[in-house]
């Protein structure tokens, strides 16, 4: 029973109450008695067992004579009930702490495995994979924050995710600013049943969930951050490989998708290829292809091209998106053709310009 509980009981009974701890050796007859057990007139007091072990016994002393049986039972019940509630709270807290310790141990193992680059396919050891959900398909999200999280971040993040997704999730701290989030595939169950018929439906659903999740985390938890989502996988077999893939996805997204904070690996194939080209080769290619490397330095040119490519080279839709007249867009594209020799309305030139644009981005930041 807490101090406030004793004070309330003392006020109700209108008599002094205090707790004492005595060696069990002084009262061996009390060994094994449960909390709430009444001890009449021990040392001149009515006493109630609060807690006992092999070394000591904790007693609640009530200083008053002439007790009715009802009052005695009330005191006994109050102490026993308070002890049960405290034990349940302690058990729940212990379970939460154990879950966090297991998650951190798993995160440390993933970090070590990914650092080697040689054991991406190694399954999670049985002594670490204690959560049965790791053996089922789950959706991986990788969260990278711009600032290190505080000590209580694990519980805060888990609470937010459960509230937002309305599903139980596994949160795994990887580094001070990096978290692996595993969500159940039930979030996309309907899409999974139809994915043989609709090849893009699963990716669209995952992108939609990821975008909503990013907006929630950015506004309600950590502020500026980056989030990547992958296809469903079995964590016990593929957790390390998924983390490495999503780390690369965020790294590429920071370079090639400036202004975007949610990234997906299936939209990064060309970017991944171009980023692997040595930096001197990239610079030389851009200069040889265009004859100059400052053509993209104009914000208007960059914005026009990115919007044009994002809308599949559709002139009308691009003009609407940019809030300009169609003829204004055509003028810009003609001007770009004069400066570069490439007409992005022609497929071959559009492909080449897209590659040059991506190379310019990664070269400028190399």
């Amino acid at each position: 029973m807490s101090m406030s509980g004793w004070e309330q009981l003392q006020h109700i009974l209108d008599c002094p109450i205090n707790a004492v701890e005595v060696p069990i050796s002084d009262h061996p007859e009390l060994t094994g008695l449960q909390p709430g057990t009444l001890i009449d007139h021990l040392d001149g007091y009515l006493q109630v067992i609060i807690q006992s072990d092999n070394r000591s016994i904790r007693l609640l002393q009530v200083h008053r004579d002439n007790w009715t049986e009802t009052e005695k039972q009330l005191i006994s019940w109050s102490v026993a009930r308070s002890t049960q509630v405290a034990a349940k709270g302690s058990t729940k807290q212990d379970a939460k702490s154990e879950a966090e310790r297991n998650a951190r141990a798993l995160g440390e193992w993933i970090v070590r495995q990914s650092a080697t680059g040689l054991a991406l396919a190694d399954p999670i050891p049985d002594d670490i994979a204690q959560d049965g959900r790791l053996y089922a398909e789950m959706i991986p999200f990788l969260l990278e924050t711009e600032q290190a999280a505080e000590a209580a971040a694990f519980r805060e993040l888990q609470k937010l995710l459960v509230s937002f997704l309305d599903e139980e999730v596994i949160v795994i701290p990887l580094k001070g600013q990096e978290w692996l989030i595993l969500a159940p595939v039930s979030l996309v169950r309907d899409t999974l049943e139809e994915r043989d018929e609709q090849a893009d439906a699963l990716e669209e659903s995952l992108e939609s969930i990821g975008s909503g999740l990013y907006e929630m985390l950015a506004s309600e938890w950590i502020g500026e951050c980056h989030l990547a989502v992958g296809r469903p996988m079995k964590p016990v077999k593929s957790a390390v490989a998924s983390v490495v893939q999503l780390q690369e996805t965020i790294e590429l997204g920071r370079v090639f998708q400036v202004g975007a904070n949610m990234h997906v690996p299936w939209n990064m194939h060309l970017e991944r290829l171009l980023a692997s080209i040595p930096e001197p080769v990239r610079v030389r290619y851009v200069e040889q292809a265009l004859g100059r490397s400052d053509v993209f330095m104009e914000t208007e040119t960059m914005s026009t091209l990115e919007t044009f490519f994002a809308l599949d080279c559709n002139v009308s839709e691009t003009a609407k998106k940019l809030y300009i007249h169609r003829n204004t867009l055509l003028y810009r594209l003609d001007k770009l053709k004069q400066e570069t020799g490439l007409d992005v309305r022609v497929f071959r030139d559009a492909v080449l310009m897209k590659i040059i644009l991506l190379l310019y981005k990664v070269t400028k930041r190399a």
Side-chain angles (χ1 to χ4, degrees), residues 333-342:
L333 298 182
D334 286 336
K335 179 183 177 184
L336 184 63
K337 179 182 177 181
Q338 293 175 1
E339 294 177 343
T340 65
L342 298 175

Side-chain angles (χ1 to χ4, degrees), residues 244-256:
V244 171
Q245 182 191 48
L246 295 180
Q247 286 173 333
E248 181 188 40
T249 298
I250 291 180
E251 184 179 350
L252 292 171
R254 289 177 181 271
V255 174
F256 292 106

Side-chain angles (χ1 to χ4, degrees), residues 245-281:
Q245 182 191 48
L246 295 180
Q247 286 173 333
E248 181 188 40
T249 298
I250 291 180
E251 184 179 350
L252 292 171
R254 289 177 181 271
V255 174
F256 292 106
Q257 298 177 336
V258 178
N261 295 79
M262 214 293 290
H263 317 282
V264 293
W266 49 85
N267 286 344
M268 293 285 189
H269 298 305
L270 184 56
E271 288 85 348
R272 187 174 296 109
L273 173 63
L274 298 178
S276 67
I277 300 174
E279 194 267 340
V281 178

Side-chain angles (χ1 to χ4, degrees), residues 115-128:
T116 66
L118 302 175
L120 302 187
D122 285 0
I124 298 174
D126 292 340
D127 61 328
I128 298 179

